[in-house]
Amino acid sequence: MLSVLVAATLVQVLGWAWVAAGVRRVRESAPAPLAEVAPPLEIPDASPAGTGPTSVADERQRDGIPSEGLPISVVIAARNEAERLPALLDALAAQTHRPFDVVVVDDRSTDRTAQIARWRAQDAPVPLRLVQVTEDDLAQSGLPPKKHALERGVEAASHDRLAFTDADGRPGPGWLATLAHHATAGDPDRQQDDGAVLVGYGPYQTAAGGLNRFIRYETVTTAALAAAGVGHGRPWHAVGRNLSYPKVLLERLGGFAHSAGSLSGDDDLLVQEVARQDAAPVHYVWEADAAVPSPAASGWRSFWRQKRRHASAGTHYPAGVLIALGLFRVSNLVLWIGAPVLHLASGQPYGWGLLAAKLLLQRSVLGDTLDALGDEPDLRLWQPILDGLSAVYHGAFVLLGLLPTPRRW
Protein backbone atom coordinates (compact mmCIF):
# COMPACT_ATOMS: atom_id res chain seq x y z
CA MET A 1 0.00 0.00 0.00
CA LEU A 2 2.78 2.44 0.85
CA SER A 3 4.47 1.86 -2.52
CA VAL A 4 1.17 2.57 -4.27
CA LEU A 5 0.84 5.83 -2.36
CA VAL A 6 4.41 6.81 -3.20
CA ALA A 7 3.70 6.18 -6.89
CA ALA A 8 0.49 8.25 -6.70
CA THR A 9 2.36 11.06 -4.97
CA LEU A 10 5.02 11.02 -7.67
CA VAL A 11 2.36 11.34 -10.38
CA GLN A 12 0.79 14.26 -8.51
CA VAL A 13 4.09 16.03 -7.94
CA LEU A 14 5.11 15.65 -11.57
CA GLY A 15 1.66 16.78 -12.68
CA TRP A 16 1.59 19.93 -10.58
CA ALA A 17 5.20 20.71 -11.50
CA TRP A 18 4.12 20.45 -15.15
CA VAL A 19 1.23 22.83 -14.43
CA ALA A 20 3.56 25.30 -12.68
CA ALA A 21 5.98 25.27 -15.63
CA GLY A 22 3.17 25.75 -18.15
CA VAL A 23 1.62 28.61 -16.21
CA ARG A 24 5.02 30.29 -15.95
CA ARG A 25 5.44 30.08 -19.73
CA VAL A 26 2.02 31.66 -20.24
CA ARG A 27 2.86 34.53 -17.92
CA GLU A 28 6.28 35.11 -19.47
CA SER A 29 4.96 35.12 -23.04
CA ALA A 30 1.96 37.37 -22.36
CA PRO A 31 2.13 41.03 -23.41
CA ALA A 32 2.39 43.65 -20.71
CA PRO A 33 -0.98 44.33 -19.07
CA LEU A 34 -3.05 46.85 -20.98
CA ALA A 35 -2.92 49.40 -18.16
CA GLU A 36 0.88 49.41 -18.38
CA VAL A 37 1.16 49.90 -22.14
CA ALA A 38 0.73 53.68 -22.01
CA PRO A 39 3.33 55.45 -19.85
CA PRO A 40 1.99 57.22 -16.75
CA LEU A 41 1.21 60.86 -17.25
CA GLU A 42 1.41 63.48 -14.52
CA ILE A 43 -2.00 65.12 -14.47
CA PRO A 44 -2.05 67.56 -11.55
CA ASP A 45 -5.80 67.82 -11.01
CA ALA A 46 -6.83 64.36 -12.23
CA SER A 47 -6.68 62.60 -8.89
CA PRO A 48 -6.65 63.37 -5.19
CA ALA A 49 -3.36 64.47 -3.72
CA GLY A 50 -1.00 61.64 -2.93
CA THR A 51 -2.49 59.08 -5.33
CA GLY A 52 0.36 59.39 -7.84
CA PRO A 53 0.41 59.48 -11.65
CA THR A 54 -2.45 58.16 -13.73
CA SER A 55 -2.03 56.17 -16.93
CA VAL A 56 -3.66 57.19 -20.20
CA ALA A 57 -5.74 54.02 -20.13
CA ASP A 58 -6.99 54.84 -16.62
CA GLU A 59 -7.85 58.39 -17.62
CA ARG A 60 -9.77 57.25 -20.68
CA GLN A 61 -11.72 54.72 -18.69
CA ARG A 62 -12.44 57.20 -15.89
CA ASP A 63 -13.76 59.75 -18.37
CA GLY A 64 -15.84 57.16 -20.23
CA ILE A 65 -13.81 57.49 -23.44
CA PRO A 66 -13.73 54.17 -25.34
CA SER A 67 -10.34 52.96 -26.50
CA GLU A 68 -9.95 52.70 -30.28
CA GLY A 69 -8.40 49.54 -31.63
CA LEU A 70 -9.04 46.25 -33.36
CA PRO A 71 -12.65 45.85 -34.58
CA ILE A 72 -14.42 42.96 -32.82
CA SER A 73 -17.75 41.19 -33.26
CA VAL A 74 -19.31 39.68 -30.14
CA VAL A 75 -21.39 36.57 -30.86
CA ILE A 76 -24.01 35.32 -28.39
CA ALA A 77 -26.02 32.15 -28.93
CA ALA A 78 -29.18 32.41 -26.81
CA ARG A 79 -32.01 29.99 -26.18
CA ASN A 80 -34.78 31.16 -23.83
CA GLU A 81 -32.51 33.76 -22.23
CA ALA A 82 -34.99 36.62 -21.81
CA GLU A 83 -34.21 36.93 -18.10
CA ARG A 84 -30.44 36.97 -18.43
CA LEU A 85 -29.78 38.65 -21.78
CA PRO A 86 -30.46 42.27 -20.67
CA ALA A 87 -27.72 42.17 -18.01
CA LEU A 88 -25.22 40.89 -20.56
CA LEU A 89 -26.16 43.60 -23.05
CA ASP A 90 -25.70 46.18 -20.29
CA ALA A 91 -22.22 44.78 -19.59
CA LEU A 92 -21.34 44.97 -23.28
CA ALA A 93 -22.63 48.55 -23.53
CA ALA A 94 -20.18 49.48 -20.76
CA GLN A 95 -17.13 48.17 -22.65
CA THR A 96 -14.29 50.68 -22.96
CA HIS A 97 -13.24 49.30 -26.36
CA ARG A 98 -14.37 50.49 -29.77
CA PRO A 99 -15.23 49.57 -32.42
CA PHE A 100 -17.31 46.44 -31.89
CA ASP A 101 -20.71 45.11 -32.75
CA VAL A 102 -22.97 42.48 -31.20
CA VAL A 103 -24.76 39.57 -32.86
CA VAL A 104 -27.49 37.84 -30.84
CA VAL A 105 -28.55 34.49 -32.26
CA ASP A 106 -32.02 33.48 -31.08
CA ASP A 107 -31.99 29.69 -31.24
CA ARG A 108 -35.68 28.72 -31.42
CA SER A 109 -36.55 30.47 -28.17
CA THR A 110 -40.09 30.23 -26.84
CA ASP A 111 -39.76 33.28 -24.58
CA ARG A 112 -39.08 36.98 -25.29
CA THR A 113 -35.39 36.60 -26.19
CA ALA A 114 -35.83 37.85 -29.76
CA GLN A 115 -38.12 40.69 -28.71
CA ILE A 116 -35.63 41.93 -26.12
CA ALA A 117 -32.81 41.87 -28.67
CA ARG A 118 -34.93 43.94 -31.09
CA TRP A 119 -35.79 46.48 -28.40
CA ARG A 120 -32.21 46.85 -27.28
CA ALA A 121 -30.99 47.26 -30.88
CA GLN A 122 -32.98 50.50 -31.19
CA ASP A 123 -30.87 52.43 -28.70
CA ALA A 124 -27.73 50.30 -28.30
CA PRO A 125 -24.48 52.32 -28.21
CA VAL A 126 -22.98 49.90 -30.76
CA PRO A 127 -24.52 48.04 -33.72
CA LEU A 128 -26.63 45.11 -32.49
CA ARG A 129 -28.28 42.67 -34.86
CA LEU A 130 -30.56 39.70 -34.31
CA VAL A 131 -30.29 36.40 -36.16
CA GLN A 132 -33.10 33.86 -35.71
CA VAL A 133 -32.75 30.11 -36.11
CA THR A 134 -35.74 27.95 -37.06
CA GLU A 135 -36.32 24.24 -36.64
CA ASP A 136 -35.87 23.78 -40.39
CA ASP A 137 -32.53 25.61 -40.29
CA LEU A 138 -31.29 23.32 -37.55
CA ALA A 139 -32.53 20.13 -39.25
CA GLN A 140 -30.69 21.02 -42.44
CA SER A 141 -27.43 21.88 -40.72
CA GLY A 142 -26.64 18.45 -39.25
CA LEU A 143 -25.02 20.17 -36.25
CA PRO A 144 -25.95 20.24 -32.56
CA PRO A 145 -28.11 23.29 -31.75
CA LYS A 146 -25.54 25.58 -30.17
CA LYS A 147 -22.87 24.93 -32.79
CA HIS A 148 -25.35 25.71 -35.56
CA ALA A 149 -26.40 28.91 -33.76
CA LEU A 150 -22.77 29.96 -33.41
CA GLU A 151 -22.08 29.34 -37.10
CA ARG A 152 -25.06 31.53 -38.00
CA GLY A 153 -23.75 34.23 -35.68
CA VAL A 154 -20.30 34.09 -37.20
CA GLU A 155 -21.79 34.47 -40.68
CA ALA A 156 -23.57 37.64 -39.56
CA ALA A 157 -20.53 39.16 -37.82
CA SER A 158 -19.16 42.36 -39.36
CA HIS A 159 -15.56 41.96 -38.19
CA ASP A 160 -13.00 39.21 -38.54
CA ARG A 161 -11.98 39.13 -34.86
CA LEU A 162 -14.72 37.36 -32.94
CA ALA A 163 -15.42 37.22 -29.21
CA PHE A 164 -17.85 34.66 -27.84
CA THR A 165 -19.80 34.74 -24.63
CA ASP A 166 -23.01 33.32 -23.19
CA ALA A 167 -26.15 35.10 -22.08
CA ASP A 168 -25.27 34.52 -18.43
CA GLY A 169 -21.80 36.04 -18.86
CA ARG A 170 -21.01 39.29 -17.08
CA PRO A 171 -17.78 40.67 -18.61
CA GLY A 172 -16.15 43.65 -16.95
CA PRO A 173 -15.69 46.91 -18.89
CA GLY A 174 -12.13 46.00 -19.93
CA TRP A 175 -12.95 42.60 -21.44
CA LEU A 176 -12.88 43.51 -25.14
CA ALA A 177 -10.01 45.97 -24.72
CA THR A 178 -7.90 43.25 -23.11
CA LEU A 179 -8.78 40.73 -25.82
CA ALA A 180 -7.85 43.26 -28.51
CA HIS A 181 -4.58 43.95 -26.70
CA HIS A 182 -3.68 40.25 -26.70
CA ALA A 183 -4.81 39.75 -30.30
CA THR A 184 -2.49 42.54 -31.47
CA ALA A 185 0.49 41.79 -29.23
CA GLY A 186 3.59 43.60 -30.45
CA ASP A 187 1.67 46.09 -32.59
CA PRO A 188 1.99 49.60 -31.17
CA ASP A 189 -1.09 50.77 -33.07
CA ARG A 190 -3.12 47.76 -31.87
CA GLN A 191 -4.58 47.19 -35.33
CA GLN A 192 -2.74 44.14 -36.71
CA ASP A 193 -4.45 40.91 -35.63
CA ASP A 194 -2.01 38.02 -35.21
CA GLY A 195 -4.80 35.47 -35.83
CA ALA A 196 -4.46 33.67 -32.49
CA VAL A 197 -7.11 31.82 -30.53
CA LEU A 198 -7.51 33.55 -27.17
CA VAL A 199 -8.63 31.35 -24.29
CA GLY A 200 -10.05 33.36 -21.40
CA TYR A 201 -11.06 32.64 -17.84
CA GLY A 202 -14.71 32.07 -16.94
CA PRO A 203 -15.07 32.13 -13.14
CA TYR A 204 -18.33 31.62 -11.31
CA GLN A 205 -19.75 34.30 -9.07
CA THR A 206 -19.51 33.86 -5.32
CA ALA A 207 -22.70 32.82 -3.53
CA ALA A 208 -23.63 31.14 -0.28
CA GLY A 209 -23.34 27.39 0.10
CA GLY A 210 -20.86 24.57 -0.20
CA LEU A 211 -21.86 23.70 -3.77
CA ASN A 212 -20.94 27.18 -4.96
CA ARG A 213 -17.55 26.98 -3.28
CA PHE A 214 -16.88 23.58 -4.79
CA ILE A 215 -17.87 24.73 -8.29
CA ARG A 216 -15.55 27.74 -8.03
CA TYR A 217 -12.70 25.55 -6.81
CA GLU A 218 -13.14 23.19 -9.75
CA THR A 219 -13.15 26.17 -12.10
CA VAL A 220 -9.88 27.54 -10.72
CA THR A 221 -8.08 24.18 -10.88
CA THR A 222 -9.34 23.63 -14.43
CA ALA A 223 -8.12 27.12 -15.40
CA ALA A 224 -4.66 26.28 -14.10
CA LEU A 225 -4.60 23.03 -16.08
CA ALA A 226 -5.93 24.78 -19.19
CA ALA A 227 -3.34 27.56 -18.99
CA ALA A 228 -0.58 24.99 -18.48
CA GLY A 229 -1.70 23.11 -21.58
CA VAL A 230 -1.49 26.31 -23.60
CA GLY A 231 1.91 27.10 -22.10
CA HIS A 232 3.26 23.70 -23.15
CA GLY A 233 1.79 24.00 -26.65
CA ARG A 234 -0.90 21.38 -25.95
CA PRO A 235 -4.16 23.31 -25.56
CA TRP A 236 -7.03 21.08 -24.50
CA HIS A 237 -9.63 23.20 -22.71
CA ALA A 238 -11.53 26.46 -23.17
CA VAL A 239 -14.82 28.00 -22.03
CA GLY A 240 -17.40 29.19 -24.53
CA ARG A 241 -18.34 32.26 -22.48
CA ASN A 242 -14.84 33.69 -22.91
CA LEU A 243 -13.24 32.69 -26.19
CA SER A 244 -11.95 34.68 -29.15
CA TYR A 245 -10.60 33.84 -32.59
CA PRO A 246 -10.75 35.18 -36.17
CA LYS A 247 -13.69 34.36 -38.42
CA VAL A 248 -11.31 33.05 -41.07
CA LEU A 249 -10.08 30.40 -38.62
CA LEU A 250 -13.52 28.82 -38.29
CA GLU A 251 -13.79 28.80 -42.07
CA ARG A 252 -10.39 27.09 -42.25
CA LEU A 253 -11.57 24.41 -39.83
CA GLY A 254 -14.72 23.75 -41.83
CA GLY A 255 -16.97 25.18 -39.13
CA PHE A 256 -17.87 22.83 -36.30
CA ALA A 257 -17.97 19.71 -38.45
CA HIS A 258 -15.01 18.33 -36.48
CA SER A 259 -17.20 18.10 -33.34
CA ALA A 260 -20.64 17.53 -34.86
CA GLY A 261 -21.02 14.35 -32.82
CA SER A 262 -20.88 16.18 -29.47
CA LEU A 263 -23.64 18.30 -27.98
CA SER A 264 -21.00 20.51 -26.34
CA GLY A 265 -17.40 21.18 -27.32
CA ASP A 266 -17.73 24.43 -29.24
CA ASP A 267 -14.85 25.55 -27.01
CA ASP A 268 -12.50 22.77 -25.85
CA LEU A 269 -12.92 20.52 -28.90
CA LEU A 270 -12.31 23.57 -31.09
CA VAL A 271 -8.97 24.46 -29.49
CA GLN A 272 -7.95 20.80 -29.68
CA GLU A 273 -8.76 20.78 -33.40
CA VAL A 274 -6.80 24.01 -33.89
CA ALA A 275 -3.80 22.37 -32.26
CA ARG A 276 -4.22 19.14 -34.25
CA GLN A 277 -4.26 21.01 -37.56
CA ASP A 278 -1.70 23.59 -36.37
CA ALA A 279 -4.19 26.09 -37.75
CA ALA A 280 -3.34 29.04 -35.46
CA PRO A 281 -1.43 29.91 -32.30
CA VAL A 282 -3.35 29.54 -29.04
CA HIS A 283 -2.79 31.99 -26.16
CA TYR A 284 -4.19 32.05 -22.65
CA VAL A 285 -5.32 35.53 -21.57
CA TRP A 286 -3.73 35.76 -18.15
CA GLU A 287 -5.41 38.92 -16.88
CA ALA A 288 -8.23 39.41 -14.39
CA ASP A 289 -9.69 42.22 -16.52
CA ALA A 290 -10.46 39.69 -19.24
CA ALA A 291 -12.41 37.31 -16.99
CA VAL A 292 -16.10 36.71 -17.75
CA PRO A 293 -17.93 35.68 -14.58
CA SER A 294 -21.30 33.96 -14.62
CA PRO A 295 -23.69 32.59 -11.99
CA ALA A 296 -22.91 29.08 -10.81
CA ALA A 297 -25.48 26.30 -10.79
CA SER A 298 -27.84 26.98 -7.89
CA GLY A 299 -28.63 23.37 -7.11
CA TRP A 300 -27.37 19.85 -7.58
CA ARG A 301 -29.90 19.08 -10.30
CA SER A 302 -28.74 21.89 -12.60
CA PHE A 303 -25.11 21.14 -11.76
CA TRP A 304 -25.62 17.47 -12.65
CA ARG A 305 -27.24 18.34 -15.99
CA GLN A 306 -24.44 20.77 -16.84
CA LYS A 307 -21.76 18.19 -16.10
CA ARG A 308 -23.54 15.50 -18.11
CA ARG A 309 -23.37 17.84 -21.11
CA HIS A 310 -19.67 18.54 -20.48
CA ALA A 311 -18.95 14.82 -20.19
CA SER A 312 -20.31 14.31 -23.69
CA ALA A 313 -17.44 16.43 -25.05
CA GLY A 314 -14.90 14.55 -22.92
CA THR A 315 -15.61 11.33 -24.77
CA HIS A 316 -14.29 13.01 -27.93
CA TYR A 317 -10.98 14.10 -26.42
CA PRO A 318 -7.77 12.69 -27.94
CA ALA A 319 -6.55 9.50 -26.26
CA GLY A 320 -3.41 11.22 -24.97
CA VAL A 321 -5.42 13.90 -23.18
CA LEU A 322 -7.77 11.33 -21.65
CA ILE A 323 -4.89 9.17 -20.42
CA ALA A 324 -3.02 12.11 -18.90
CA LEU A 325 -6.11 13.49 -17.18
CA GLY A 326 -7.07 10.01 -16.04
CA LEU A 327 -3.70 9.32 -14.41
CA PHE A 328 -3.72 12.74 -12.77
CA ARG A 329 -7.22 12.35 -11.35
CA VAL A 330 -6.91 8.69 -10.33
CA SER A 331 -3.61 9.29 -8.53
CA ASN A 332 -5.26 12.03 -6.49
CA LEU A 333 -8.14 9.75 -5.57
CA VAL A 334 -5.68 7.00 -4.58
CA LEU A 335 -3.90 9.42 -2.25
CA TRP A 336 -7.08 10.54 -0.53
CA ILE A 337 -8.37 7.00 -0.08
CA GLY A 338 -5.03 5.34 0.58
CA ALA A 339 -3.76 7.67 3.34
CA PRO A 340 -6.51 6.83 5.86
CA VAL A 341 -6.68 3.19 4.79
CA LEU A 342 -2.94 2.72 5.35
CA HIS A 343 -3.17 4.41 8.74
CA LEU A 344 -6.10 2.26 9.86
CA ALA A 345 -4.72 -0.99 8.46
CA SER A 346 -1.12 -0.75 9.65
CA GLY A 347 -0.96 2.22 11.99
CA GLN A 348 1.52 3.93 9.65
CA PRO A 349 0.82 7.68 9.17
CA TYR A 350 3.17 8.04 6.19
CA GLY A 351 0.28 8.40 3.77
CA TRP A 352 -0.84 11.60 5.45
CA GLY A 353 2.63 13.05 5.00
CA LEU A 354 2.60 12.25 1.28
CA LEU A 355 -0.85 13.80 0.95
CA ALA A 356 0.26 16.92 2.84
CA ALA A 357 3.30 17.35 0.56
CA LYS A 358 1.08 17.14 -2.49
CA LEU A 359 -1.40 19.67 -1.04
CA LEU A 360 1.39 22.16 -0.30
CA LEU A 361 2.69 22.01 -3.88
CA GLN A 362 -0.82 22.27 -5.25
CA ARG A 363 -1.55 25.23 -2.99
CA SER A 364 1.48 27.09 -4.33
CA VAL A 365 0.41 26.61 -7.96
CA LEU A 366 -3.23 27.49 -7.33
CA GLY A 367 -2.12 30.50 -5.28
CA ASP A 368 -0.29 31.89 -8.31
CA THR A 369 -3.39 31.27 -10.41
CA LEU A 370 -5.66 33.07 -7.95
CA ASP A 371 -3.20 35.97 -7.67
CA ALA A 372 -3.33 36.50 -11.43
CA LEU A 373 -6.97 35.79 -12.23
CA GLY A 374 -8.70 37.20 -9.16
CA ASP A 375 -8.24 36.25 -5.54
CA GLU A 376 -10.91 34.15 -3.82
CA PRO A 377 -9.75 33.85 -0.20
CA ASP A 378 -12.30 31.23 0.81
CA LEU A 379 -10.90 28.83 -1.79
CA ARG A 380 -7.44 29.12 -0.26
CA LEU A 381 -8.87 28.49 3.19
CA TRP A 382 -10.92 25.46 2.20
CA GLN A 383 -8.44 24.01 -0.31
CA PRO A 384 -7.71 20.68 1.49
CA ILE A 385 -11.40 19.84 1.95
CA LEU A 386 -12.34 20.99 -1.54
CA ASP A 387 -9.53 18.93 -3.05
CA GLY A 388 -10.74 15.82 -1.23
CA LEU A 389 -14.24 16.38 -2.57
CA SER A 390 -12.76 16.99 -6.01
CA ALA A 391 -10.96 13.64 -5.93
CA VAL A 392 -14.24 11.82 -5.28
CA TYR A 393 -16.10 13.96 -7.82
CA HIS A 394 -13.67 13.15 -10.63
CA GLY A 395 -13.97 9.47 -9.84
CA ALA A 396 -17.73 9.78 -10.34
CA PHE A 397 -17.30 12.03 -13.38
CA VAL A 398 -15.97 9.08 -15.37
CA LEU A 399 -19.37 7.43 -14.97
CA LEU A 400 -21.11 10.48 -16.44
CA GLY A 401 -19.47 9.80 -19.78
CA LEU A 402 -21.28 6.44 -19.89
CA LEU A 403 -24.75 7.95 -19.38
CA PRO A 404 -27.01 9.27 -22.16
CA THR A 405 -26.34 12.97 -22.61
CA PRO A 406 -29.00 15.70 -22.75
CA ARG A 407 -30.26 16.48 -26.24
CA ARG A 408 -30.87 20.17 -25.50
CA TRP A 409 -28.39 22.81 -24.43
Side-chain angles (χ1 to χ4, degrees):
M1 174 66 74
L2 182 58
S3 61
V4 172
L5 291 181
V6 170
T9 303
L10 180 61
V11 171
Q12 283 291 297
V13 168
L14 291 176
W16 284 107
W18 181 87
V19 172
V23 167
R24 184 172 62 251
R25 291 182 182 182
V26 166
R27 299 179 70 172
E28 291 174 350
S29 62
L34 182 58
E36 298 177 6
V37 172
L41 295 180
E42 295 287 353
I43 306 176
D45 299 324
S47 58
T51 59
T54 305
S55 72
V56 171
D58 290 340
E59 283 300 307
R60 292 177 65 86
Q61 183 170 341
R62 189 203 65 185
D63 295 336
I65 305 173
S67 63
E68 293 292 338
L70 183 72
I72 299 176
S73 288
V74 179
V75 178
I76 308 156
R79 178 171 172 81
N80 293 331
E81 296 287 5
E83 292 185 2
R84 299 192 287 190
L85 184 60
L88 170 62
L89 296 179
D90 288 342
L92 293 177
Q95 294 296 302
T96 61
H97 179 79
R98 294 294 188 276
F100 76 96
D101 65 353
V102 179
V103 180
V104 176
V105 184
D106 171 34
D107 183 15
R108 305 162 296 130
S109 296
T110 57
D111 65 1
R112 298 165 54 249
T113 296
Q115 188 176 5
I116 287 172
R118 290 194 189 96
W119 286 344
R120 297 297 292 263
Q122 296 175 11
D123 59 358
V126 297
L128 189 159
R129 63 179 57 85
L130 171 68
V131 176
Q132 291 188 275
V133 173
T134 66
E135 292 289 351
D136 288 341
D137 294 334
L138 178 61
Q140 294 173 13
S141 73
L143 289 172
K146 186 176 182 181
K147 293 187 176 75
H148 173 62
L150 290 175
E151 284 197 356
R152 290 290 305 277
V154 170
E155 291 172 0
S158 301
H159 308 303
D160 185 55
R161 170 56 61 172
L162 308 172
F164 297 87
T165 193
D166 294 335
D168 62 349
R170 301 294 179 264
W175 177 52
L176 291 179
T178 306
L179 290 182
H181 177 58
H182 279 255
T184 57
D187 174 29
D189 296 324
R190 300 178 56 221
Q191 292 288 333
Q192 185 61 46
D193 194 329
D194 68 359
V197 177
L198 303 179
V199 178
Y201 180 44
Y204 287 105
Q205 296 169 342
T206 302
L211 176 60
N212 176 269
R213 187 176 290 116
F214 175 74
I215 291 173
R216 289 187 292 116
Y217 177 80
E218 277 296 300
T219 304
V220 169
T221 55
T222 301
L225 292 171
V230 171
H232 288 290
R234 299 177 180 275
W236 67 278
H237 181 80
V239 288
R241 62 183 175 275
N242 194 357
L243 186 63
S244 175
Y245 50 82
K247 180 190 294 190
V248 67
L249 174 63
L250 194 62
E251 297 172 355
R252 196 180 309 149
L253 295 177
F256 289 104
H258 60 274
S259 59
S262 173
L263 180 68
S264 59
D266 53 280
D267 37 33
D268 45 3
L269 296 184
L270 182 136
V271 298
Q272 292 172 20
E273 183 66 14
V274 168
R276 189 186 70 82
Q277 295 191 25
D278 195 21
V282 180
H283 303 317
Y284 199 91
V285 183
W286 196 255
E287 289 185 49
D289 286 346
V292 179
S294 66
S298 58
W300 287 102
R301 183 175 180 179
S302 57
F303 177 66
W304 175 261
R305 179 177 176 83
Q306 180 187 65
K307 291 307 176 183
R308 283 177 62 198
R309 188 171 67 249
H310 292 171
S312 70
T315 60
H316 296 270
Y317 281 14
V321 174
L322 290 175
I323 291 172
L325 286 175
L327 284 174
F328 190 65
R329 300 303 190 187
V330 168
S331 63
N332 195 34
L333 181 61
V334 167
L335 264 177
W336 276 102
I337 294 177
V341 168
L342 178 64
H343 197 179
L344 291 173
S346 64
Q348 297 179 352
Y350 305 122
W352 296 113
L354 295 173
L355 179 58
K358 171 262 178 185
L359 286 172
L360 288 174
L361 175 60
Q362 180 189 48
R363 186 180 184 85
S364 173
V365 178
L366 292 181
D368 289 343
T369 304
L370 288 169
D371 289 342
L373 299 180
D375 193 16
E376 299 180 71
D378 62 326
L379 299 188
R380 298 178 192 258
L381 178 64
W382 289 82
Q383 179 230 347
I385 294 175
L386 294 172
D387 188 66
L389 293 173
S390 178
V392 176
Y393 161 75
H394 283 287
F397 190 75
V398 176
L399 301 178
L400 292 180
L402 303 178
L403 297 177
T405 57
R407 295 185 177 276
R408 297 172 60 187
W409 62 282

